[in-house]
Amino acid sequence: MPPCVLILSNEHPSAICFTRVAKRHNGRDVLRGVSLAVRPGELFGLVGVNGAGKTTLLRCLLDFCAPDHGDITLFGIDSRDSRARAPLAFLPEHFEAPPFLTGAEFLAYVLRLQGQRYDAARAADTLAALDLDPSALTRQVRDYSKGMTQKLGLAAVLISDKQLIILDEPCSGLDPKAHVLLKRLLLQWRAQGRTILMTSHALADVDALCDRLAILHDGVLQFIGTPDECRAHYHATTLEQAFMASVH
């Protein structure tokens, strides 16, 4: 099977490349030959209804499960190779930290797994960037609200300082202020040259933030392109209207 060749230059491969990825689960075709490339430095949105196959596609990318067919590469390295995941930080849709750890202990653990040292001042700054009170560092996660837990997960991504960021519904549980702060952070990460792949049900966020998006429906990609191209393709005024036309 030929490697993914969507590139920005002759030297640099795609940050993420899915080539004809298929996955069957419980007798159902969850992914049916998905081919998609995310460019380095791109903020890319993956959207679809519940059950469209978005999370399964991310699980295959992260080597949590193996596709039945197809290939996945990260910066040209097979996703099954542990080296491919070295530059990657991931936040799952239903993030949970060990409840018996404090916020500081959890962040220190995440950094230790990556060979990095914990710095208390940096941790406090990271929490402040997400409007999470620094006192959360000394509290056990079992005492966190849903929103606080989500912010801690985002803080772990932020403090890891990775070049490739995968976010599955990152705004889940966030209050309006934290939502705004996260959107600012995403734009800052992109300006720094980081690559971001995010799933989201919030089409307004995808429209405002993403360079390009892909609509996945019933395991098949219905559209890949910019938000403006999506509206034009479906002769729609809004991205919401375009999305509905693509999944009717």
Side-chain angles (χ1 to χ4, degrees):
M1 181 176 293
C4 190
V5 294
L6 178 58
I7 55 176
L8 293 185
S9 72
N10 290 329
E11 294 83 19
H12 298 101
S14 300
I16 305 170
C17 182
F18 302 94
T19 305
R20 297 190 287 276
V21 173
K23 180 67 177 178
R24 189 172 178 83
H25 183 65
N26 289 336
R28 185 173 76 90
D29 291 321
V30 181
L31 299 172
R32 299 189 285 167
V34 173
S35 293
L36 172 66
V38 178
R39 301 162 182 160
E42 187 170 40
L43 205 171
F44 195 97
L46 180 63
V47 301
V49 300
N50 292 335
K54 303 184 302 298
T55 297
T56 299
L57 190 64
L58 294 187
R59 286 177 57 81
C60 290
L61 165 68
L62 297 162
D63 200 33
F64 292 162
C65 65
D68 297 325
H69 303 286
D71 295 306
I72 306 171
T73 60
L74 304 175
F75 296 106
I77 302 175
D78 191 306
S79 64
R80 294 167 294 185
D81 188 326
S82 61
R83 296 175 302 161
R85 296 185 295 279
L88 184 154
F90 168 61
L91 180 69
E93 178 179 6
H94 302 293
F95 167 73
E96 293 183 8
F100 53 86
L101 295 180
T102 66
E105 289 169 341
F106 174 70
L107 293 179
Y109 173 70
V110 168
L111 290 170
R112 188 163 61 251
L113 288 175
Q114 302 170 63
Q116 300 183 45
R117 298 183 62 181
Y118 177 80
D119 179 271
R122 182 183 171 204
D125 289 344
T126 301
L127 265 60
L130 293 162
D131 194 38
L132 181 56
D133 195 297
S135 66
L137 289 170
T138 61
R139 296 171 57 186
Q140 287 187 320
V141 173
R142 70 173 82 251
D143 297 324
Y144 283 20
S145 67
K146 161 62 178 172
M148 291 175 65
T149 301
Q150 186 72 1
K151 291 177 186 179
L152 181 65
L154 289 165
V157 170
L158 178 57
I159 204 170
S160 297
D161 197 28
K162 298 293 185 174
Q163 288 301 309
L164 178 57
I165 300 166
I166 311 294
L167 304 172
D168 196 358
E169 295 294 341
C171 295
S172 175
L174 295 184
D175 58 68
K177 182 178 180 181
H179 190 168
V180 171
L181 291 174
L182 175 60
K183 290 194 291 184
R184 289 178 183 174
L185 279 173
L186 291 173
L187 293 175
Q188 289 173 15
W189 287 340
R190 183 182 63 180
Q192 294 166 1
R194 303 176 198 270
T195 305
I196 306 159
L197 172 61
M198 58 178 276
T199 74
S200 180
H201 291 308
L203 293 177
D205 288 348
V206 173
D207 198 2
L209 296 170
C210 293
D211 300 300
R212 292 189 303 143
L213 73 144
I215 299 175
L216 184 64
H217 186 62
D218 196 22
V220 177
L221 288 175
Q222 304 295 320
F223 175 85
I224 306 171
T226 68
D228 284 343
E229 290 169 345
C230 188
R231 279 185 286 269
H233 180 77
Y234 291 102
H235 307 288
T237 303
T238 67
L239 190 59
E240 181 179 84
Q241 292 170 347
F243 175 79
M244 291 301 292
S246 75
V247 301
H248 71 279

